Amino acid sequence: MALNFKYWFFTLLILSTTSAVDKNNFKTCEQSSFCRRLRNFKPGTVSYVLNLDTLHVSDNSIEADLKNVEAESDFRFTLTSLAGNIFRVFIDEVKPIHPRYQVQEALNGEPQVEKLEVLERTKDKVTVRSGDNKAVVTANPIKIEFFKNDVLVAVINEKGLFNMEHLRAKPTEGEGEGEQEVKEDPGAWEENFKSHHDSKPRGPEAVGVDVTFPGAFRIYGLPEHADRLALRSTGPGGLDPYRLYNLDVFEYEVDSTMAIYGAVPVVYAHSDKNTVGVFWHNAAETWVDIGNSKDTNVVSSIVNLVSGHQPDNVVDAHFMSESGVFDMFVLMGPKPKDAVRQYASLTGVAPLPQYFALAYHQCRWNYNDETDVINVIDNFDLNELPVDVIWLDIEYTDGKKYFTWDPIKFAHPSEMVSNLTSTGRKLVVIIDPHIKREGGYFLHEDCLANDYYVKNKDGNVYEGWCWPGSSSYPDLLDPKVQEYFKSLYALDKFKGTTQDVHIWNDMNEPSVFNGPEVTMPKDCKHYGGWEHRHIHNIYGLLYTQITYDGLIKRSSDRRPFILTRSHFAGSQRSAAVWTGDNAAEWSHLQASFPMCLSEALAGISFCGADIGGFFNNPDTELLQRWYQTGIWLPFYRAHAHLDTRRREPYLFNEDVRTRIRNALRLRYAILPLFYTLFREHETTGEPVIRPLFYEFPSDPNVVDIDNQLLVGDRILARPVIESGVSSVSVYLPGGPNQFWYDIEDFKQYHGTGVINIPVTLDKIPAFYRGGTITPRKDRPRRSSALTHHDPYTLYVALDNNKSASGTLYVDDGESFAYRNKKYLYLNFEFKDNTLTSSLIDKTDFPTHAWIERVVILGPPEKITKATLTSNSLGTVNLETTYDGENRSLVIRKPGVNVREPFTLKLH
């Protein structure tokens, strides 16, 4: 009975907190000893000096001894040139009393090096060059300046905030004057927060540094935060630093620098001339102060106005981590797409997902039983609402024991899955890392018997509380644990599943209801002797990598689909993410674009937000607008809390159903575009969704716009995310020679700035970009599986030169055969009144899909017919039709298979 009472108590506690986040459960910087120490660190307090007499030069790096003069502690400094215009700065202690943790899991293999040339060397500094990049390293105090084409773009330690607390024995009273800066802080050697005690057996080991970006307008990155796209200035007396510490935060607030589920320590500083990035390769708790010269207060603005002085543009970031080595990658750009690609070259890209994963997903906590699941699908079909995936939350299990099924509610999982897949649908089930401590549960018994669990500071198995009640957590650093958990996904072990069952990894921060800040204590112990503090932010990354490998072992010919809540740099290689437990509020709808755009810049394009909000009940206006907004995010799922009213689209009146149906059908129509962009992301590293400054880097007016996004370079979306409005403002970039076409009525606009677009509840504001060609499948179907051989419509949006181009990628939508050249990658080009299709790669894939229509926007005048020429059809005449206002020209039924090159000429 004690177990049941505790379980009831903690469940009640969690549910009672879901009305709003309790900030008292989470630290501020001032309540965190290492953040407090590093934030209050004064330049000159400790002097770090390079000894250039020890300089060693190799083909791609320079190394030298670095000393903390006051503490007489020794470090080794290395600057390396990497392929693709990247520098790496690495600093570690020489002969530390404990090794400092180096992140192993985020990088996608060892980075390739590039030749480095020493240009100048004196006793005070050394200058090196790699291509058109240059670095000047100053010795006393250490400072590194980075130049692109002789323009200074970034400086490490410009403000003198570099500090690397060397590992040491705890001093006794009156010992060690050089230790005064940490002795003065009461939390340096052990720390309390609320009722929790952190023993800190290794003592202080924090590392921090400032990076300045001269000339930059704005700085972006540091997901995950429910905040704006452009990072805001923080500082004492103002905003707390942006915190990167994966936490289970219930109904998080928007416009906040608080930590939530993900932590990707990369930033991009941007101006109209240069964009440069920094990747801080550290998995420990991290805080980042941001400074922006444009975020001036009223008093300073008046002073500047009176004096006539306008400060130079500059932004800066102060990284502060609790532990680890100093490992920083400087991404030299010079354009946003260069810097983002450089980051992708380090941490990897999302592998091409299965086609269904880009379609619509239906989820709630929880579908009651097998009958409920089938009824949901039947009602979608009856109401002609497309859906591809049904999700099961924790209640499908036997008493919240993962890799099991409830013996009553889900007694026939194989039959249920078969019924789903027979209609072209898939199933996703949740698997979380907390393991129920129950005798007889095979997973718990195996972990106990084989010593697979994380230990507490005393070396005993750690016990925390989560959904099952008393739980323990797998030690994911242990290779034996990794292999064991991979094996659990085998079809003969996770009975009832098939290769059409995919996985949702949730609560993997890890979430611990009775732990400090709702997570695992930092002094818990992992394989290799590492404390949890050293690896906290990669726990979720490790979990999804294990799941991915397990699904590959299970179904080697199928691409896995995994959704994760916790994530870090490199998570894109194994999983999609979503913005977590949001709320049915307009502010959370508005936050979905900047949150996912920030993730996309940090390599994680496969991002979405729970449609309608997870907590609470949206009114019908908000629900409809969320369906219309979610179209433009790569992951498109509805999800809701168990206490919310059922809100499947078919439950509403016909008007609401029609609007949601139209939104769903538009999403399904543009699936070929999303799929093509994901393939191009895999090959180039370019994000699938993009902020405006990514495509228009020289336009200073777009730097703060985050209520619009670009799907690739082809569609600009500005959804209605405000209540009760009759018009919305849209910024159309590119200047007067850039055309934009409304995707519904094809009205042409010029990129001349802000325009007002009248809207009704039916309006979904979005625009084709002039000069692009977008492939669509416009025939409505109940699932994406039924569209694979459907014909394409090409939307040819002409630019001011009456030309356009675009790509289309086609394969089987599910297997890895595309890696053996079983695919089509096509280029379409319209020029001189002629549309041509050609193969970009010399590959082949059999398909019945053909070109059903070509719709030309901003068409040439007086066209009376068209002729199509291909090998199989010869030359055929086609009819052409203008719409009523000559905004578009339609060529119907060209009839050529997309596999075949062709030429379509207008006459």
Side-chain angles (χ1 to χ4, degrees), residues 799-870:
D799 63 15
N800 63 324
N801 294 315
K802 296 294 184 184
S803 63
S805 63
T807 54
L808 171 64
Y809 175 81
V810 182
D811 66 13
D812 65 18
E814 61 182 16
S815 79
F816 287 104
Y818 75 98
R819 294 183 177 175
N820 294 316
K821 298 188 176 182
K822 301 297 184 182
Y823 67 87
L824 300 173
Y825 186 34
L826 310 173
N827 181 67
F828 300 111
E829 185 167 354
F830 186 93
K831 187 177 182 181
D832 298 327
N833 283 358
T834 302
L835 174 67
T836 58
S837 171
S838 59
L839 287 170
I840 297 174
D841 297 337
K842 294 182 179 179
T843 60
D844 194 20
F845 172 73
T847 177
H848 297 300
W850 51 286
I851 305 298
E852 182 175 39
R853 289 191 309 158
V854 175
V855 182
I856 300 175
L857 313 183
E861 298 176 351
K862 300 179 181 178
I863 299 299
T864 58
K865 70 172 185 176
T867 55
L868 183 138
T869 303
S870 72

Side-chain angles (χ1 to χ4, degrees), residues 692-902:
L692 267 60
F693 81 85
Y694 184 92
E695 289 290 334
F696 299 92
S698 61
D699 186 350
N701 297 309
V702 303
V703 296
D704 292 317
I705 294 177
D706 57 14
N707 62 353
Q708 303 176 203
L709 61 71
L710 291 158
V711 181
D713 64 351
R714 306 193 212 182
I715 296 178
L716 183 151
R718 194 302 193 194
V720 181
I721 52 177
E722 304 87 1
S723 176
V725 298
S726 57
S727 65
V728 295
S729 295
V730 184
Y731 183 85
L732 297 178
N737 291 326
Q738 174 67 65
F739 296 167
W740 299 93
Y741 299 88
D742 189 299
I743 65 168
E744 294 176 358
D745 64 14
F746 306 145
K747 183 177 179 181
Q748 183 187 99
Y749 298 89
H750 295 262
T752 52
V754 177
I755 62 170
N756 255 355
I757 300 292
V759 295
T760 65
L761 282 173
D762 298 289
K763 179 67 176 176
I764 306 175
F767 306 84
Y768 294 117
R769 183 180 180 180
T772 66
I773 298 176
T774 300
R776 290 178 36 161
K777 289 195 172 186
D778 286 341
R779 291 187 180 182
R781 298 287 192 181
R782 66 185 186 185
S783 75
S784 69
L786 303 177
T787 70
H788 288 316
H789 294 295
D790 278 355
Y792 290 91
T793 295
L794 302 180
Y795 288 82
V796 182
L798 300 185
D799 63 15
N800 63 324
N801 294 315
K802 296 294 184 184
S803 63
S805 63
T807 54
L808 171 64
Y809 175 81
V810 182
D811 66 13
D812 65 18
E814 61 182 16
S815 79
F816 287 104
Y818 75 98
R819 294 183 177 175
N820 294 316
K821 298 188 176 182
K822 301 297 184 182
Y823 67 87
L824 300 173
Y825 186 34
L826 310 173
N827 181 67
F828 300 111
E829 185 167 354
F830 186 93
K831 187 177 182 181
D832 298 327
N833 283 358
T834 302
L835 174 67
T836 58
S837 171
S838 59
L839 287 170
I840 297 174
D841 297 337
K842 294 182 179 179
T843 60
D844 194 20
F845 172 73
T847 177
H848 297 300
W850 51 286
I851 305 298
E852 182 175 39
R853 289 191 309 158
V854 175
V855 182
I856 300 175
L857 313 183
E861 298 176 351
K862 300 179 181 178
I863 299 299
T864 58
K865 70 172 185 176
T867 55
L868 183 138
T869 303
S870 72
N871 285 338
S872 65
L873 299 178
T875 299
V876 295
N877 292 322
L878 303 172
E879 292 184 2
T880 60
T881 307
Y882 288 99
D883 68 9
E885 298 179 355
N886 286 352
R887 293 178 180 176
S888 68
L889 177 71
V890 178
I891 301 99
R892 287 181 173 82
K893 295 187 177 180
V896 62
N897 190 293
V898 293
R899 189 179 179 189
E900 184 177 359
F902 66 84

